[in-house]
Amino acid sequence: MSMELDAPISLQPGPLGPKGNATILCCNCGAPIDGTTSAGALCYDCIKLTVDISEGIPREATLHTCRDCDRWLQPPNHWMVATPESRELLALCLRKLRGLTKVRIIDASFIWTEPHSRRIKVKIAIQQEAFEGTILQQTFEVEYVVAYHQCPDCAKSYTANTWRAVVQVRQKVPHKRTFLYLEQLILKHSAHRDTINIKEVKDGLDFYYAQRNHAEKFLDFLSSVAPVRTKKSQELISMDIHTSSKSYKFSFSVELVPICKDDLVALPIKLAKSVGNIAPITICYRVGTSINLLDPNTLQTTDIPTPIYWRAPFKSIADVQELVEFVVMDIEPVGPSKGRFLLAEATVARASDLGSNDRTFFTRTHLGGILHPGDSALGYHLTGTNFNNPEFEALEKSNSYASHIPDVVLVKKFYVRGKKSKSSRNWRLKRMNRDEGELLPKKADQEKMERDYEMFLRDVEEDTELRNTLALYKAPTKSRPPKAEKMEGVEEEVQEETEEEEDGEDDEDVPRINMDELLDEFDELNVAE
């Protein structure tokens, strides 16, 4: 019996083929998976079913809001303003959840709920690495319960200690034009947004604040727009003897310079020589961070800084309430122009003297660019007028300046306005809501305030530089009511058309404001018409 032997086999190494991946079955569902990359012998679907990456993140939380001011509590003691479904409120909701710092937030959005349900739902998508090389993404919902909690500011408003700091702005002048201008600047720059109350007093306004730094911020704003002098005082409210902690109320007294636009100013002789040797009799043509004065005889201008003025304060010798109407008989430009001013020599007469006497006055004026023969101008009549002012008395006694005191100082052109000029304005200004105090103004005071406001509106129309610093808004269009169908209505229509034609003839020379300079109407809190 012979044995069968295998043929000899060559043991030489041959070329290696591609190495295959080890495939295993999922221990949960039996699906084939790659054994080299799988963790825990689970497929991706089973990992999503068995691993919860949102573990430790609460599904319910509580948000505290103040129903009086609609602010939200951001722990520990900060109250923030957030509108419903805003980014600020969403950030507050995410900060309330613990455990979100361990995962990566992919997306977060609000889910609509009933407004009266006091519930807020947020849908959150997160990512986290479950095993090595396996990243899971999961979406879940969190429900927030809105609870009411009164903030300390609102709680303080129901007690006697409502405010913590007050800014008392005062100006001792017989009119309110400066405060009307200051009110528009405050509205334009929103400098009143931190006030809790604005109270009107006899010579100014009081601004109340809940925090001291808000009042100091408002003081910085006033110093940047007007020449002011500030004084500070404080009152001790309470003190804890154990911790030595004290609570104060702060009062800031702000005094504005008693010199306004278009006032006639008699400078002290020493001060006039030190600021460019200007003539002492000047006109205040602008009040900014300093007092800007103009000599109408030479068009020389100068400005008096706030520290220099308060070092030796002085008052104006006449204000806008003492302006007299003059009629220009003849005018001729004689000198160079300086900006919007043009030097001219004019012969004027008082409007009240026309028809009774032929007395005229010769003067120099800076209004040569806008005045023509036959026009009316407002100015100060110095001849025969007694001024109770020490600076003016020093000028009358001076040998150098007594002969240079003019008879008439023209200030601005006078425009004749019709009866319907007030209602025909295509623009209007915003007004601040304020507390008039315990005593309401009398009827005479109310009429005086209306006259001051009308005078301020006219200044806005006539002065372009003043208008550029304010925010003017388009006036709402008023629809004309339908007329009654009567026979007498024909005569009424003819009479109204005649009155409109007469008013149109009077308002031809009145400056108008272009629609391009006006802003569209918008609603803002704490702002009234």
Side-chain angles (χ1 to χ4, degrees):
M1 184 175 181
S2 61
M3 294 181 62
E4 294 182 358
L5 298 177
D6 294 336
I9 300 174
S10 176
L11 298 179
Q12 295 180 358
L16 298 176
K19 186 178 180 181
N21 296 332
T23 301
I24 63 174
L25 299 179
C26 176
C27 64
N28 193 11
C29 64
I33 56 175
D34 188 0
T36 59
T37 59
S38 63
L42 292 173
C43 63
Y44 185 73
D45 295 333
C46 294
I47 291 177
K48 290 194 298 182
L49 294 175
T50 56
V51 178
D52 185 13
I53 61 175
S54 63
E55 186 179 0
I57 301 177
R59 297 297 193 273
E60 293 182 356
T62 304
L63 293 177
H64 295 277
T65 181
C66 178
R67 69 172 68 192
D68 294 330
C69 60
D70 294 333
R71 292 189 300 175
W72 300 84
L73 175 61
Q74 180 178 345
N77 54 8
H78 178 66
W79 291 84
M80 58 178 293
V81 178
T83 57
E85 298 189 3
S86 62
R87 298 179 60 183
E88 293 80 7
L89 183 59
L90 182 60
L92 177 62
C93 293
L94 296 179
R95 281 194 291 266
K96 292 286 292 185
L97 299 179
R98 297 180 180 179
L100 282 181
T101 56
K102 301 178 181 179
V103 298
R104 180 184 179 186
I105 302 176
I106 300 301
D107 187 22
S109 60
F110 287 100
I111 301 176
W112 186 85
T113 55
E114 291 288 345
H116 62 274
S117 63
R118 293 171 57 186
R119 297 291 188 274
I120 296 178
K121 291 185 178 181
V122 180
K123 183 179 180 181
I124 305 174
I126 60 175
Q127 277 187 358
Q128 189 182 21
E129 187 177 6
F131 299 100
E132 184 179 357
T134 305
I135 298 178
L136 295 182
Q137 180 171 333
Q138 188 174 349
T139 303
F140 60 96
E141 297 180 2
V142 180
E143 183 177 353
Y144 296 87
V145 179
V146 179
Y148 291 126
H149 183 77
Q150 193 176 43
C151 65
D153 295 336
C154 294
K156 191 186 299 182
S157 63
Y158 294 100
T159 63
N161 300 326
T162 305
W163 53 272
R164 183 56 57 90
V166 59
V167 179
Q168 301 172 343
V169 185
R170 300 289 185 271
Q171 187 185 32
K172 298 179 180 179
V173 291
H175 54 80
K176 295 284 186 179
R177 292 170 59 215
T178 304
F179 284 100
L180 292 173
Y181 175 65
L182 187 62
E183 177 186 7
Q184 298 303 318
L185 291 179
I186 292 173
L187 289 173
K188 182 179 180 180
H189 298 88
S190 300
H192 66 297
R193 60 179 177 269
D194 295 327
T195 58
I196 59 177
N197 189 20
I198 301 175
K199 186 177 181 181
E200 187 172 2
V201 293
K202 181 181 179 182
D203 293 329
L205 296 171
D206 290 346
F207 298 86
Y208 294 91
Y209 294 91
Q211 298 182 16
R212 174 186 175 184
N213 56 347
H214 292 164
E216 293 177 347
K217 183 179 179 181
F218 184 69
L219 286 177
D220 296 338
F221 170 76
L222 292 179
S223 302
S224 63
V225 297
V228 298
R229 179 172 60 177
T230 306
K231 293 182 181 179
K232 174 188 173 183
S233 62
Q234 58 187 16
E235 177 187 1
L236 180 64
I237 300 176
S238 61
M239 182 180 66
D240 189 354
I241 60 175
H242 301 286
T243 60
S244 298
S245 60
K246 303 177 182 179
S247 178
Y248 288 95
K249 273 188 175 181
F250 300 92
S251 299
F252 299 92
S253 176
V254 180
E255 183 180 359
L256 298 174
V257 293
I259 298 177
C260 304
K261 182 177 175 292
D262 298 334
D263 285 358
L264 185 64
V265 180
L267 292 175
I269 298 177
K270 185 177 179 180
L271 179 61
K273 293 180 179 180
S274 63
V275 292
N277 199 18
I278 192 174
I281 299 296
T282 57
I283 299 174
C284 178
Y285 69 94
R286 184 174 60 232
V287 177
T289 55
S290 60
I291 305 173
N292 301 103
L293 303 176
L294 168 70
D295 180 13
N297 293 322
T298 60
L299 297 186
Q300 182 182 356
T301 59
T302 186
D303 59 333
I304 301 178
T306 305
I308 295 179
Y309 174 81
W310 290 115
R311 195 179 303 165
F314 55 89
K315 296 183 179 180
S316 60
I317 60 176
D319 54 27
V320 292
Q321 296 182 348
E322 303 175 23
L323 289 173
V324 181
E325 182 182 354
F326 292 90
V327 178
V328 180
M329 312 300 293
D330 187 18
I331 187 169
E332 182 181 355
V334 294
S337 62
K338 190 172 183 180
R340 57 191 175 96
F341 304 131
L342 177 62
L343 186 62
E345 294 181 350
T347 302
V348 298
R350 288 200 307 178
S352 59
D353 293 343
L354 295 179
S356 60
N357 56 55
D358 298 334
R359 188 178 182 184
T360 59
F361 303 93
F362 179 79
T363 183
R364 280 194 167 193
T365 179
H366 60 289
L367 305 175
I370 59 176
L371 288 182
H372 302 88
D375 291 344
S376 298
L378 296 178
Y380 297 103
H381 190 199
L382 275 66
T383 302
T385 306
N386 295 325
F387 296 105
N388 187 13
N389 187 276
E391 286 79 15
F392 188 76
E393 293 177 357
L395 293 179
E396 292 181 332
K397 297 178 182 179
S398 174
N399 297 328
S400 303
Y401 298 102
S403 60
H404 293 82
I405 298 177
D407 297 333
V408 174
V409 178
L410 299 181
V411 177
K412 58 182 179 179
K413 184 177 179 180
F414 178 70
Y415 298 93
V416 180
R417 288 174 167 83
K419 298 179 181 179
K420 297 183 179 180
S421 60
K422 297 181 181 179
S423 59
S424 62
R425 289 191 176 102
N426 60 344
W427 59 276
R428 69 188 190 92
L429 298 173
K430 292 286 187 180
R431 301 299 303 274
M432 287 190 305
N433 283 342
R434 64 187 72 180
D435 184 9
E436 295 181 352
E438 299 177 356
L439 299 177
L440 296 176
K442 300 180 182 179
K443 184 177 180 181
D445 296 338
Q446 187 69 26
E447 294 177 355
K448 181 178 178 298
M449 293 171 60
E450 292 178 359
R451 289 196 303 268
D452 292 342
Y453 187 65
E454 176 63 23
M455 189 180 300
F456 175 71
L457 295 180
R458 294 183 179 183
D459 289 342
V460 173
E461 289 179 339
E462 298 171 6
D463 194 345
T464 306
E465 294 183 359
L466 175 65
R467 190 162 63 243
N468 292 335
T469 60
L470 306 179
L472 309 181
Y473 298 93
K474 297 178 182 178
T477 56
K478 298 181 180 179
S479 59
R480 194 170 184 177
K483 299 179 181 178
E485 297 180 357
K486 295 181 180 181
M487 293 302 294
E488 294 84 357
V490 178
E491 298 180 359
E492 294 177 357
E493 290 179 4
V494 174
Q495 185 178 359
E496 289 181 359
E497 291 178 358
T498 305
E499 293 179 356
E500 290 179 358
E501 291 178 358
E502 293 178 357
D503 293 339
E505 293 176 359
D506 294 339
D507 296 345
E508 285 182 357
D509 298 335
V510 177
R512 300 292 182 182
I513 298 179
N514 298 327
M515 295 296 292
D516 298 338
E517 303 179 23
L518 305 180
L519 302 175
D520 292 331
E521 182 64 30
F522 67 100
D523 296 330
E524 184 181 359
L525 294 177
N526 297 332
V527 177
E529 297 183 6

